[in-house]
Amino acid sequence: MKTSVAIIGAGPAGLSLALLLHQAGIPCLILERHSRAYVESRVRAGLLEQNTVDLFTELGVAGRLRREGLEHFGVILSFEGERLRIPFDELTGGRHITIYGQQEVVKDLVAACLERQIEIRFEAKAWELHRIETEAPYIQYIQDGTRKSLACDFIAACDGFHGIGRKFLPPGSYIDYQTSYPFSWLGILAETAPSSEELIYTFHEEGFALHSLRSDAISRFYLQVDNTEKLEDWDDSRIWESLEKRLFTPGFKLQTGRILEKSITPVRSYMTGTMQSGRLFLAGDAAHIVPPTGGKGLNLAVADIRWLAKAMIAFYKSGDEQKLRSYSQDCLRRIWRVQDFSHFMTQLFHRIGERESLEYRLQRSKFDYLKISRAYQTSLAENYVGLKEI
Ligand code: APR
Ligand code: PHB
């Protein structure tokens, strides 16, 4: 079995890469360890930068996204009940974000791949990568209990943070950077109308809360919880009470409803300083994780893919290997910027120290500065909507 580009992972990164390569006439195949139903129902974040929507539009997969996605032109920041709206369209020359659940993105991308006859092998788990330093690498994978081989010119590891791709970078060939935080995010999807038209990020002395949404009838919320806490510790009434308390401001009324899904995700920052070796290239969560405050994960994955597809297309069209060589460097400029922004948003809104600690005072000072400085607001806004080019 042989293809030109073997892609591991049918998440947003792997699926977008397959569509871009296919558009350029380059054969590729995706191996995905889970079933189609599983990848399409995994609830994740739902904030798309304009760059991301533009790419999906270029790929011809944005029809439903344009109909059902919710365009947002501002965001609300709140500190101990005091609110500040950041009008990011005004501050960034009209740029905006779109709210559209990641599982909807995945459904649209899977459907487009299958329609265009791009093969996705579901329930096929990549196991070992071989000969990545040669021009003829191959992947061993397991499907239906049988070990199989897939030969290719390139391997694109788009297999997420727990994938295998990163483990095959030669030891010592890269530095990794990481930090963990003493808190996680408890996320819920609820059958209730949003209580705010725009997202609210809030600092409260009991911890961070985020009000997001998916539609007129479905809302999405997150709460900062300790790393030791379990879902069993959070029954529905405790979740609603905490959201009510943390999101409170005079005149605000939280709409509650049936909770459809609950999960806890650790907050972490991680990245590899080099995203490639020989014919192996990493993209998306396989190479980096940013804290979710700011909703950047999917957008960063898609930004990597733009570079990777460009580099592979240049190679196949004209034998030019320059962009392949500079792939990591090209991606890392944006990744570092987004790492910093996501860290900044995390540090600004989470409960880090006691009320009169230095950390708390610095948070308070940043929020007070945001209230009076258009320059500071502009900086936050341009990072939030996503820098056009970097
Ligand atoms: N073999 C085959 N598939 C694998 C393997 C393996 N050994 N290991 C992991 N996978 C698959 C996973 O099942 C998953 O479907 O790789 C896919 C990786 O997808 P994502 O985790 O969604 O990662 P990515 O495509 O990089 O998407 C960007 O940023 O912050 C996040 O939530 C955001 O998931 C989004 C991500
Ligand atoms: C979401 O809607 O899931 C979301 C939005 C903004 C974030 C994180 C998640 O910063």
Side-chain angles (χ1 to χ4, degrees):
M1 202 42 222
K2 163 123 211 279
T3 187
S4 298
V5 181
I7 301 172
I8 312 174
L15 294 163
S16 310
L17 178 62
L19 289 163
L20 281 164
L21 294 174
H22 176 79
Q23 200 176 48
I26 301 167
C28 60
L29 188 154
I30 303 180
L31 300 175
E32 166 55 54
R33 65 181 293 182
H34 289 295
S35 66
R36 179 176 180 186
Y38 180 92
V39 299
E40 290 186 346
S41 60
R42 218 165 18 191
V43 179
R44 298 263 186 79
L47 185 159
L48 306 187
E49 292 177 358
Q50 206 165 316
N51 286 352
T52 303
V53 174
D54 289 347
L55 182 86
F56 293 158
T57 305
E58 284 161 38
L59 282 171
V61 295
R64 192 162 71 94
L65 157 62
R66 296 227 173 242
R67 282 193 308 279
E68 296 177 16
L70 305 166
E71 291 188 341
H72 282 216
F73 300 91
V75 62
I76 296 164
L77 308 181
S78 168
F79 203 91
E80 296 182 322
E82 187 182 358
R83 292 202 176 168
L84 169 68
R85 179 173 187 269
I86 307 288
F88 42 66
D89 59 335
E90 222 176 283
L91 296 166
T92 64
R95 289 173 72 72
H96 63 272
I97 57 152
T98 303
I99 295 295
Y100 189 68
Q102 183 175 314
Q103 78 268 37
E104 305 308 319
V105 169
V106 169
K107 279 181 208 160
D108 295 346
L109 298 181
V110 167
C113 283
L114 299 179
E115 206 173 277
R116 295 171 199 188
Q117 266 132 44
I118 299 169
E119 191 179 345
I120 308 177
R121 266 184 215 169
F122 288 104
E123 298 178 73
K125 181 177 173 185
W127 184 251
E128 271 177 337
L129 312 185
H130 295 272
R131 300 205 309 234
I132 60 163
E133 303 303 331
T134 74
E135 289 178 9
Y138 68 96
I139 301 178
Q140 284 203 305
Y141 66 99
I142 296 182
Q143 194 178 22
D144 302 326
T146 316
R147 205 175 253 241
K148 301 178 181 178
S149 271
L150 175 62
C152 54
D153 301 330
F154 294 99
I155 298 173
C158 303
D159 50 353
F161 186 63
H162 300 288
I164 61 155
R166 200 170 63 246
K167 303 188 179 93
F168 286 87
L169 289 175
S173 70
Y174 65 97
I175 302 178
D176 51 10
Y177 304 85
Q178 56 193 311
T179 191
S180 52
Y181 300 81
F183 43 79
S184 301
W185 272 25
L186 187 161
I188 65 158
L189 199 62
E191 204 171 30
T192 177
S195 307
S196 165
E197 282 181 11
E198 293 182 329
L199 272 62
I200 308 171
Y201 291 77
T202 185
F203 174 93
H204 183 276
E205 66 177 335
E206 283 189 7
F208 166 76
L210 169 60
H211 181 334
S212 184
L213 54 146
R214 290 290 178 269
S215 68
D216 290 349
I218 305 283
S219 301
R220 177 96 172 127
F221 298 94
Y222 299 93
L223 286 167
Q224 172 184 356
V225 298
D226 286 344
N227 285 339
T228 51
E229 289 184 274
K230 306 260 170 300
L231 274 181
E232 305 84 81
D233 302 330
W234 286 86
D235 61 20
D236 294 6
S237 59
R238 181 172 177 210
I239 292 175
W240 289 120
E241 276 162 28
S242 290
L243 285 168
E244 178 101 55
K245 194 190 266 180
R246 297 186 194 183
L247 289 164
F248 177 81
T249 200
F252 176 77
K253 178 84 194 84
L254 181 70
Q255 310 284 336
T256 63
R258 192 160 67 95
I259 296 183
L260 305 171
E261 201 263 353
K262 270 189 219 182
S263 62
I264 292 187
T265 317
V267 175
R268 54 162 78 96
S269 306
Y270 172 84
M271 65 192 282
T272 51
T274 307
M275 297 161 65
Q276 64 194 88
S277 184
R279 290 292 183 97
L280 168 65
F281 293 84
L282 267 51
D285 277 16
H288 42 74
I289 292 285
V290 294
T293 333
K296 293 294 181 191
L298 184 155
N299 300 290
L300 211 45
V302 167
D304 291 350
I305 291 305
R306 246 189 213 282
W307 285 113
L308 188 54
K310 231 185 241 173
M312 289 181 169
I313 292 167
F315 173 83
Y316 281 107
K317 298 291 169 219
S318 59
D320 177 6
E321 296 193 27
Q322 180 48 41
K323 288 197 174 67
L324 286 171
R325 279 196 290 272
S326 64
Y327 168 70
S328 300
Q329 232 177 310
D330 289 334
C331 291
L332 285 165
R333 286 188 297 275
R334 177 179 294 271
I335 298 166
W336 274 119
R337 175 88 308 282
V338 172
Q339 285 284 8
D340 176 53
F341 177 67
S342 306
H343 180 76
F344 164 82
M345 290 287 282
T346 303
Q347 297 290 112
L348 179 54
F349 288 108
H350 288 74
R351 180 181 188 277
I352 299 169
E354 294 305 314
R355 178 138 188 142
E356 279 312 326
S357 62
L358 179 91
E359 288 79 11
Y360 167 80
R361 282 280 150 205
L362 295 177
Q363 289 173 300
R364 174 87 248 171
S365 167
K366 283 196 187 72
F367 187 76
D368 288 343
Y369 183 35
L370 272 172
K371 286 193 296 191
I372 59 168
S373 168
R374 193 177 164 89
Y376 202 26
Q377 285 189 17
T378 305
S379 168
L380 189 147
E382 71 181 8
N383 281 279
Y384 192 78
V385 297
L387 294 177
K388 194 161 183 189
E389 275 171 29
I390 184 165

